[in-house]
Every structure is written in structure tokens, then in C-alpha cells.
Amino acid sequence: MQWIHPLDRVDLTHVQHVGGKAARLGAMAQAGFDVPEGFVITADAFRAHLPNCEPDQRPAPPRLQSEFLSAIAEAVGSAFPAQTRFAVRSSSVNEDGAETSFAGQHETYYFIDNAHIGEAVVDCWLSLWSEQALAYRRTWGSELQPMAVIVQRMVQADRAGVSFSQDPNHPGDRRTVIESTWGLGAALVDGHVSPDRTLVDRRGRVTHTRIGDKRVYIPGTQDGEAGGRMAAVAHDQRDVATLSAQDAERISETTQQIRTLFGHPVDVEWAFENDHLRILQARPITASGTHPEERERLVLFKPVAENFSEPLSPLSEDLFRRVLPRIGRFVRGRFYLKFDLLRALLPFKLDDAALADLMLLRTVETPQISLRRLPRTLAMLAALYLANGIFWLRSAHITEKALEKVDAVTRSAREDHNLDALTTFKRLLHGSHPLQAMHHFVFQINVSAGRYFVLLSVLKRMLARWAPDFDTNAIPNLCHGGNDMLSTRMVEAIADLATLASEDDACRAALTSPSALEDLARLDEGHPFLVALESFLTSFGHRGSREIELAAARWQEDVGALLVMIRSQLDAQERPADNAYARHLAARDQLHQALSSRWKRRMVDHLVRRIRYYIVLRENTRHYHTKLFDVVRNKLLMLENDLLATGALKISGDLFYLTWDELQDLSNGTLAPVDASALVRNRRVHWQAAASQPPPDRYGIPPTVSRSAEGALQGICACPGTASGTARIILHPREADRLQPGDILVAPYTDPTWTPLFPSLGGIVVELGSYLSHAGTIAREYQIPCIVDVAGCVARIQDGDHVTIDAVNGLVHLPEDSERW
């Protein structure tokens, strides 16, 4: 029958009959690429069985012609053994084109035996009328086109993924981008995992690998009932690289060859089957890294963005939207300030670009005050003082013992099973009434502690006038937080754990084994390391990477992430005793000598004490308000367990891709589980797309003139000093064991759980950040040269580059011979 053709007999001249996907597979098979064997059922079969279908109305399943079924049986029987399993995939005429890809909109069916191929073909045809396919056609203005169907031998993949011949978010970057995971690639394509990400340069060298947190996978073999279904990845494999450097270089070479074959940038799906690289699909790259336009003028809210670069999950975004003040809004999971609202309230004579920089906490020249706008600003400040003045006064003298009372508040909320997650969030964040004790308002205390930035500006102005000879680079020594900061205590506790482990051979062996959790569990119950680890988790187990994200696991849930940090310090050279207090005394003596009168010294000393107080308060309240988020997460996980038990949710983690109202509808039966699954799948894909792109720092506002100097990247000094060393691109604290003493950390962001990485570093370069950010605050405590807000540093600097940072001037000097995009 003319409706069935071997894949290796079709090519790009047959697109109107076999669709773009099948045509490209055939062209690649003919060019010698390893494409799994199979055949294609042309679009003519669709036309014959569904001749008068309506674009927006799903037809009844057609009855397949007996001659057609016989032809399928003959195609299968003549080429494949009887026990072969197949993948049945769509290939619509307008699918995988240069303008529209329909990626993930039509169905694919795995592990189909020969008796059910016909049924799977019909299901593929009918997926043209799925909700996601209809929405996609409406969005892109595409017409309904006939569908061909591909039938291929099922690849028993142990690893799979996608590769891009150039970075889809940076069209000028010609490095190959590879994303990979365990098992079949469907878990990656559908957004269920955070994949490994590998970059390979134009010379075929791996320049960077980021290990993803691969919690689930789809097995590539059909073992009883498990084949093709989502399964949990073994804990000791979650943080293991799925590809060797040789694997990545091989994928890159193949991807670039496919690009040459088709003459345009390509997105390739591939899989390894017993070390054989199979090519499953190739299509034009349709994404160009552009962001949707926004009508409103917006500026990125730095205090959140500088703590993690990924967007918030839909549920976290929804819950935060309900509790945050309306001075901004979320765009694709990131929070932005409303520029025009703040422009109307601020009295500065600045153009739009400079004011946006000020909102982004970048250094700008001292702005002039507009007398015309000043009355409005003063009225606003008076209103704020009437509403919050007493609160700000109370927060100016809160003690550490008062903050410790947060533990009782969070424990009470956790144990109250009548409180749902949203009510808990509101109560813990805003308190019950304004006259409650201050420890009920720890989040607001954290915000108010940001006033030290203003006080620091006042200090600098005072010193410029009263002590012009004083070295302002010594200001961090004046204001250091010392051991009063809980973050530095956390670092010391991790170092103590590493010392305990290194002193016991059995403990060290267990900690460094691939199955560390299981091996540590075999140690004696009273082993000093286990006792100390339990104590650490009691104090700091609520911390974790991306702490603001309610979907992110804490150390008490994912001890493996903490063990990586402990393991990275096993062989660390003993750090010299911290002389921060000596530096403080030296800086204070220098300052007192530069000040000419006693009353000036008293004023400056008082201001320094206030700045130091608020620096410590800001870091420590972060420790406590993270406990609030941990309680809310705990409530959400309890709800998730209930929904999983009833079958309303299928996969752990899906809850975070629904809104609060949708979860209530799902719980009471108003939202059907199948509809919830469709929402989750669509939002996971959109989240992954947003996560792959750095957020614009503004919408609708002219950009600032580029701050890059020739041969260097420009940023903002967060801690002065100079350093040279090997650059290490670190995208997650789980990569801590890649760092060596003296390395220059290059990261998209840092948050408090990165703190244990800092003490042995030679320097720090961060893509998102400000003087107020965690990276700058902790760098000043350890006197590590630090530059923040270095746009593009993660992409521009290659792992292993020898770089020099001049933090005083905010410059990162790049090696002359390194390849740049």
C-alpha cells in the first residue's frame, strides 16, 4: 500500500506527504546518521480515514480499513522480530517547521506491540484535537494539517536528551548546548527533571557541565509493569553526570554535522542505547531567546532575583502574589517593581535609565533632589512613618534572644493541622495584629534592616568631609559582623563536621562513597559524626538552595546536598585563624586618627555600630524567615501526599505547577485529574523555557550604556581587593567539590547556602547581585575580593580560564586567547 514507506526512503522533498519530522529523519538516515529503523504512514492515510474533519471539533475515532491494517502487519513482520516494541509518533505536515514546531503538542506512544500499532496511529491522529494542540494553533494562527505517523523500533535508552547547535537564548553563541537525563528523553522534554547541561565550544571541547537534580526518569526498558512509566532515580545517581566529556563531544560533533546537512541551526533529540548514539529527531531552532513585550514599565526586584536565577514555580508565585505589597508584579516567575509608580514617589532628578539603575541597586552619581517632587515624597514618608514608624523603632533594638522566639511560632503553626498552607503563610508573614511581639514580624524586620545601605551612604559622605585621607576600602573592616552572624556559624559547623569525618577512616570512606547516605547509615548510632550531623540539621536543616522557592527541598529533606559541601572540605587546608577583629581595631584606629575631634569620632562610631547591627540583623533574620517558608512547604507537602493517595496527582512535585485555587478545586473534585495533568505538563515546559533565559532587568525603559571594558567584564565592587586564579563556573552548591583553594567562583547568583563555599576562595564574580546581596555581605566578612552584577559572566567566562579580578574598579580581566561568542 502506498500509504506506508520505509523511513530511509523519504527525504525533504516528501514533506507534504510525510511531515517535517519524518522527512528529516529520512534525510538523516540517508546521510548515514544512526536513526532507529522504522516506517512512516503518510498523511494520505489520515485524509482517507478522516476526510471531512472540523479544525476545532474532535471527530469520532475512525475504523481502520482492513487493507491498511494488513499493510501495517506486513511492514512490521517483514522487518522486525515478533517481540519488537515500537514508538509511534506524530509527524504533522506543519510540524517541526522553521516557524512552528508543535513541540510536545501531539502525542507519542512508547512500548507498543505489533497488535496495537493501529490503535496508537488513531490516537496520534486524534491528538490534533488535544487541548494543547488547539491552543497552540490558535496562538500561532496555524491551520489544521493532515498528520503522518512514524513507527520506529523502540530505543532502549539508558540516557537521552536534546542538543542545540547554538544557544537558543544567545543566537551569537555558537557553542553546542546539551541537556541530558537518565532513561528516555520524555521526562526532560515534558519538564519533569532539571537536566544536566553541558556546553561544548566550536573546537569540540567541553567548557562547562552543570549537574541537574534528576529526581525522576522514564526507564528505557520494559520490565514488567514498570516500562515507560515515571520512576524515582536512585539517590546516589541524582547528582551523577549522565555524560562523560567524550559523550558530550560526540553529541556535539553529530549535532553540528546535522546543522551542516540542513543548512540552519538545529535542535536534536538523541539517546544512548548501549553506548550507541541514536538520533531520534531534528528540527529548526525556533526560539531566539526573546522575551514577551510588557506594556507596563518594570524593573527587576534585585533582592529576590540575586538569590536564585530560576523563575518561581507557579504555586510559589501565586502564594507570594497574595501576600506581597502591590508595588510590583510577577512576569514569568520573576518579581518586577512598577517603575512609573516609584518614579512618581521618588524626588530625584534622574533620567529613566539612571533611575532604573538606582532601583537595581547599582552605583549611580549622587542624584539631585527635585524641589517640585519633594513635597510628594515627604508626604509619602510621613504616611509611612505614621503607619510603620513604631515598627521601625522597635526593630532598631531587637536582640538575638528575641529572634530565637521565632522557633516557638513556627513550631506552633506546623503542629496546627487546622491551618492550611495559605492561611499559615499569611499569618506567619504578617502576624495576627500589629501589637504582637517583634519576633512575629521577622520578614518585615529583614526588609527594614536594609536601611544599613542608606546609613552606609551617610557614613561615606561624613568621611569624605571629615576624614578625606581615610581609606574607604577599610569600611568593611569597620562594619564586619563577625561571629554574630548565623551564616558564619553555619560555615564553622560544616567545617567541624568535615574535621570529624576526616579523623575517622570508616566515616571518611562512607562520606566519599557513591552511596554516601546508605554507607553513613551503617555507622554506629552514636558515632560522633552522626550526632553532630543531627545537631546541625536541628539548627540549620531548614536551609537549602533557592530557599525562597517553596518547591525547593531543604537540607533536612535532601541531606545529600549537604554532604557534598562537607565532602568538599575534607582535604581543605586549615584556614588561618580569622583576624577580623584585629582588622576592625586597626581600621578603627586609622579612622580615629583621621578624625580631628572627639565629637566627630563619637558620631562616626555610633553610625558604624548601627550599620554593623543592621548588617547582622539582615543576615540573621534571613535564617529565621526561611523557617517560615519551611513550615509552609511542609503544609504543601502534606496536601500533596493526600492528593497522591487519592490519585488526583500522579507525580510528586506536580503540585507546585498548579495555583492555590486549582489545588482547592482538585481536592474537592471540581478540577478533574486529567485536566490538572494537562495544566502541569504545559506549565512545566513553560517553566523550563523561562528558566533557560536570564531575566531582563527592565521592561520598557532604555538600557544603560554597556559597562564592559575592552578585554574585561564590568560589574560593581562588593568587597575591594584584587585576585588572580582559575575560574570555576558553579551553578549550584552541589558542585562544591569542584572548587579548589584560591579558585575564582563565577556564579549566576548566591544565597546563604553557598556560604560554606566562600572561605577558601580567591575571589568571587556573580552575575546577579548588589552591594546588599548575600555574596557581597559574606565576602566582606571573609575579606574576599568580590564583584557583583557582572552581566553575562557565566556565559562569557569559560570554566578553567585564568582570570584576574580588580574588585576596586569592578573589572574582571579575561584571558586574551580564550574563545568568546
Side-chain angles (χ1 to χ4, degrees):
M1 176 175 280
Q2 294 304 306
W3 292 344
I4 297 177
H5 299 279
L7 262 182
D8 58 5
R9 302 287 180 86
V10 300
D11 56 34
L12 293 178
T13 64
H14 303 116
V15 169
Q16 291 304 312
H17 297 286
V18 301
K21 184 186 297 180
R24 285 186 171 80
L25 283 172
M28 290 187 290
Q30 292 177 27
F33 293 98
D34 193 342
V35 176
E37 319 86 81
F39 55 88
V40 57
I41 299 168
T42 70
D44 293 329
F46 174 92
R47 295 185 181 98
H49 287 86
L50 294 164
N52 299 310
C53 52
E54 296 292 332
D56 298 323
Q57 185 174 348
R58 178 186 171 99
R63 183 181 179 85
L64 297 183
Q65 299 175 13
S66 58
E67 185 181 0
F68 178 42
L69 290 173
S70 298
I72 292 175
E74 182 179 349
V76 169
S78 62
F80 300 98
Q83 300 304 314
T84 303
R85 293 295 182 266
F86 298 90
V88 180
R89 312 163 64 199
S90 66
S91 183
S92 181
V93 169
N94 57 351
E95 193 170 342
D96 287 353
E99 297 182 3
T100 55
S101 69
F102 280 87
Q105 306 307 311
H106 303 141
E107 295 298 338
T108 294
Y109 298 94
Y110 299 120
F111 298 104
I112 304 299
D113 60 32
N114 55 12
H116 293 89
I117 291 176
E119 179 182 336
V121 169
V122 172
D123 288 340
C124 273
W125 287 343
L126 295 180
S127 69
L128 281 166
W129 289 273
S130 67
E131 288 189 14
Q132 63 263 27
L134 289 171
Y136 189 94
R137 286 203 295 273
R138 285 192 294 268
T139 299
W140 291 94
S142 300
E143 296 181 357
L144 176 70
Q145 294 288 345
M147 179 185 286
V149 175
I150 301 165
V151 180
Q152 287 176 283
R153 178 185 63 80
M154 185 71 212
V155 172
Q156 298 188 17
D158 48 74
R159 295 163 293 156
V162 296
S163 57
F164 301 88
S165 61
Q166 67 183 42
D167 190 333
N169 300 317
H170 300 284
D173 186 348
R174 288 292 301 275
R175 289 179 294 184
T176 306
V177 179
I178 304 171
E179 295 182 344
S180 56
T181 190
W182 301 118
L184 299 178
L188 184 159
V189 174
D190 289 346
H192 286 294
V193 297
S194 295
D196 294 349
R197 183 178 173 89
T198 307
L199 302 180
V200 182
D201 67 19
R202 282 180 285 181
R203 287 176 281 187
R205 301 176 309 178
V206 172
T207 60
H208 179 67
T209 297
R210 181 199 70 186
I211 307 301
D213 186 14
K214 304 173 290 293
R215 292 175 176 267
V216 296
Y217 79 118
I218 299 177
T221 58
Q222 191 177 33
D223 298 326
E225 293 297 319
R229 297 183 179 181
M230 201 77 71
V233 174
H235 201 283
D236 59 358
Q237 291 295 302
R238 290 178 181 177
D239 299 333
V240 173
T242 49
L243 300 176
S244 66
Q246 293 77 13
D247 292 334
E249 290 162 6
R250 185 176 167 193
I251 293 168
S252 175
E253 180 181 11
T254 301
T255 302
Q256 295 302 333
Q257 289 171 345
I258 294 172
R259 174 191 176 117
T260 300
L261 173 66
F262 293 124
H264 54 69
V266 290
D267 158 3
V268 177
E269 292 185 18
W270 52 267
F272 273 111
E273 182 181 39
N274 299 324
D275 289 329
H276 294 287
L277 178 59
R278 314 293 191 193
I279 303 302
L280 309 180
Q281 185 171 326
R283 56 176 168 244
I285 294 177
T286 54
S288 60
T290 58
H291 293 269
E293 293 296 324
E294 291 292 327
R295 294 181 181 179
E296 194 172 11
R297 300 205 295 176
L298 303 167
V299 176
L300 187 66
F301 186 54
K302 265 292 191 62
V304 172
E306 67 194 12
N307 285 294
F308 59 95
S309 58
E310 296 92 345
L312 287 175
S313 65
L315 180 57
S316 294
E317 177 183 330
D318 183 46
L319 293 178
F320 273 104
R321 183 187 289 113
R322 295 167 185 258
V323 298
L324 291 177
R326 300 191 177 184
I327 58 170
R329 67 185 182 86
F330 285 95
V331 178
R332 305 184 81 203
R334 277 95 174 201
F335 190 68
Y336 285 79
L337 298 172
K338 296 180 179 179
F339 179 82
D340 291 322
L341 173 64
L342 296 178
R343 155 69 84 187
L345 296 175
L346 295 174
F348 304 126
K349 287 183 178 180
L350 292 172
D351 61 30
D352 288 348
L355 183 58
D357 275 351
L358 186 64
M359 292 180 185
L360 289 163
L361 305 177
R362 291 174 180 158
T363 304
V364 297
E365 294 183 8
T366 304
Q368 293 182 335
I369 300 296
S370 167
L371 295 178
R372 179 176 60 85
R373 294 177 178 170
L374 187 58
R376 185 189 308 173
T377 303
L378 292 175
M380 178 199 69
L381 290 175
L384 285 174
Y385 186 79
L386 288 173
N388 300 293
I390 295 177
F391 172 81
W392 277 56
L393 287 173
R394 292 170 68 196
S395 67
H397 302 284
I398 191 167
T399 65
E400 184 174 344
K401 282 193 173 296
L403 287 178
E404 290 173 356
K405 295 179 181 178
V406 173
D407 290 339
V409 175
T410 55
R411 184 166 55 251
S412 175
R414 187 187 299 270
E415 294 172 355
D416 188 344
H417 298 298
N418 294 320
L419 291 179
D420 62 26
L422 178 58
T423 305
T424 301
F425 201 15
K426 289 180 177 179
R427 185 170 298 182
L428 290 178
L429 218 58
H430 298 313
S432 299
H433 56 81
L435 298 180
Q436 281 185 297
M438 285 302 293
H439 63 270
H440 289 277
F441 302 98
V442 65
F443 188 77
Q444 291 86 337
I445 297 172
N446 179 266
V447 174
S448 73
R451 72 183 88 172
Y452 88 80
F453 193 58
V454 176
L455 298 179
L456 197 59
S457 298
V458 173
L459 176 64
K460 289 180 178 179
R461 289 195 179 195
M462 291 173 67
L463 295 181
R465 174 168 295 196
W466 293 348
D469 295 332
F470 179 75
D471 182 7
T472 55
N473 289 329
I475 288 178
N477 291 330
L478 282 174
C479 305
H480 81 99
N483 202 48
D484 291 339
M485 279 190 183
L486 291 171
S487 294
T488 57
R489 295 181 199 172
M490 180 175 70
V491 173
E492 292 172 1
I494 289 178
D496 291 344
L497 283 167
T499 300
L500 281 173
S502 64
E503 292 173 348
D504 183 284
D505 291 341
C507 183
R508 182 188 182 94
L511 186 61
T512 54
S513 76
S515 54
L517 283 174
E518 292 79 0
D519 290 350
L520 285 171
R522 297 188 185 98
L523 297 176
D524 293 339
E525 186 176 347
H527 192 284
F529 177 83
L530 296 182
V531 173
L533 180 62
E534 185 65 29
S535 174
F536 179 91
L537 291 174
T538 299
S539 299
F540 300 104
H542 64 286
R543 308 305 298 264
S545 184
R546 301 165 60 226
E547 294 169 328
I548 297 175
E549 171 57 72
L550 300 175
R554 276 43 179 169
W555 280 339
Q556 61 201 5
E557 305 168 55
D558 183 13
V559 181
L562 173 61
L563 296 182
V564 172
M565 291 196 173
I566 300 172
R567 189 162 58 236
S568 71
Q569 298 196 26
L570 282 176
D571 298 314
Q573 297 178 353
E574 186 173 345
R575 186 177 176 83
D578 188 18
N579 59 354
Y581 187 63
R583 293 196 307 267
H584 167 73
L585 292 177
R588 192 179 67 177
D589 288 345
Q590 178 190 353
L591 176 62
H592 286 180
Q593 292 173 17
L595 292 168
S596 59
S597 65
R598 182 178 298 177
W599 68 269
K600 289 180 181 178
R601 287 197 291 271
R602 286 180 176 176
M603 288 186 65
V604 171
D605 283 348
H606 174 74
L607 189 55
V608 167
R609 285 194 296 271
R610 287 284 82 196
I611 292 171
R612 182 183 181 279
Y613 167 80
Y614 287 120
I615 289 174
V616 173
L617 185 64
R618 193 165 190 269
E619 276 295 304
N620 287 357
T621 49
R622 175 69 179 268
H623 171 87
Y624 284 106
H625 78 62
T626 303
K627 290 193 173 187
L628 312 186
F629 301 151
D630 180 48
V631 173
V632 176
R633 173 173 167 80
N634 180 262
K635 300 275 186 180
L636 291 172
L637 293 180
M638 291 172 62
L639 173 60
E640 181 181 60
N641 287 336
D642 291 342
L643 293 172
L644 289 169
T646 62
L649 283 178
K650 302 298 183 186
I651 299 173
S652 176
D654 280 358
L655 168 135
F656 294 99
Y657 292 86
L658 296 171
T659 66
W660 180 253
D661 288 342
E662 288 165 350
L663 287 172
Q664 303 313 298
D665 291 342
L666 187 60
S667 297
N668 61 34
T670 308
L671 177 64
V674 65
D675 294 330
S677 295
L679 286 171
V680 168
R681 177 180 177 182
N682 186 50
R683 287 177 186 161
R684 279 186 177 277
V685 171
H686 281 84
W687 187 92
Q688 290 282 9
S692 69
Q693 303 180 45
D697 64 8
R698 66 195 76 192
Y699 284 103
I701 305 165
T704 309
V705 177
S706 174
R707 295 176 289 132
S708 291
E710 185 175 355
L713 300 177
Q714 180 76 54
I716 298 171
C717 175
C719 184
T722 59
S724 294
T726 301
R728 288 295 171 213
I729 312 294
I730 302 294
L731 302 183
H732 193 282
R734 286 194 301 269
E735 302 176 73
D737 47 7
R738 295 182 52 236
L739 287 167
Q740 298 297 319
D743 281 351
I744 308 297
L745 169 69
V746 181
Y749 67 93
T750 69
D751 66 21
T753 57
W754 293 64
T755 304
L757 279 60
F758 280 31
S760 64
L761 296 175
I764 301 167
V765 178
V766 182
E767 188 155 5
L768 284 171
S770 65
Y771 189 89
L772 289 174
S773 67
H774 168 265
T777 301
I778 301 301
R780 291 190 290 275
E781 289 301 306
Y782 289 108
Q783 285 294 289
I784 303 170
C786 177
I787 306 177
V788 297
D789 206 35
V790 185
C793 64
V794 172
R796 299 280 308 272
I797 299 173
Q798 295 183 7
D799 195 72
D801 276 353
H802 186 83
V803 299
T804 298
I805 66 174
D806 172 8
V808 175
N809 296 304
L811 294 175
V812 183
H813 295 283
L814 307 174
E816 295 181 0
D817 60 346
S818 64
E819 183 178 300
R820 304 285 169 241
W821 53 270

